[in-house]
Amino acid sequence: MTTGHLFYIPLILIVGLVIGLVIGRRSALVALEEEERRRQLAARRAAASAAPAPAEAPAETPEPRSGTSA
């Protein structure tokens, strides 16, 4: 093993670590943004379902039939 390997191998490991950190950080930020978007969407859905429905006329119910016919 030459002295070049003493510098080359750790340098490559450090470069790989830095690249991994950059890519991992970017991925984590995208995941956080996606989670925030999902929370906002869920909050909008909850607000929409909690809103009162428009007033409707009550449906007419038929009178119950008795056993005799008129």
Side-chain angles (χ1 to χ4, degrees), residues 32-50:
L32 287 174
E33 289 173 0
E34 180 69 20
E35 181 64 28
E36 181 62 27
R37 187 186 66 78
R38 286 183 184 165
R39 283 185 189 151
Q40 289 176 353
L41 182 60
R44 276 189 244 138
R45 286 182 181 163
S49 66

Side-chain angles (χ1 to χ4, degrees), residues 8-56:
Y8 179 74
I9 292 173
L11 178 67
I12 294 301
L13 289 173
I14 290 172
V15 168
L17 180 67
V18 169
I19 290 173
L21 288 173
V22 169
I23 292 172
R25 179 178 180 267
R26 189 174 299 161
S27 176
L29 289 175
V30 168
L32 287 174
E33 289 173 0
E34 180 69 20
E35 181 64 28
E36 181 62 27
R37 187 186 66 78
R38 286 183 184 165
R39 283 185 189 151
Q40 289 176 353
L41 182 60
R44 276 189 244 138
R45 286 182 181 163
S49 66
E56 297 179 8

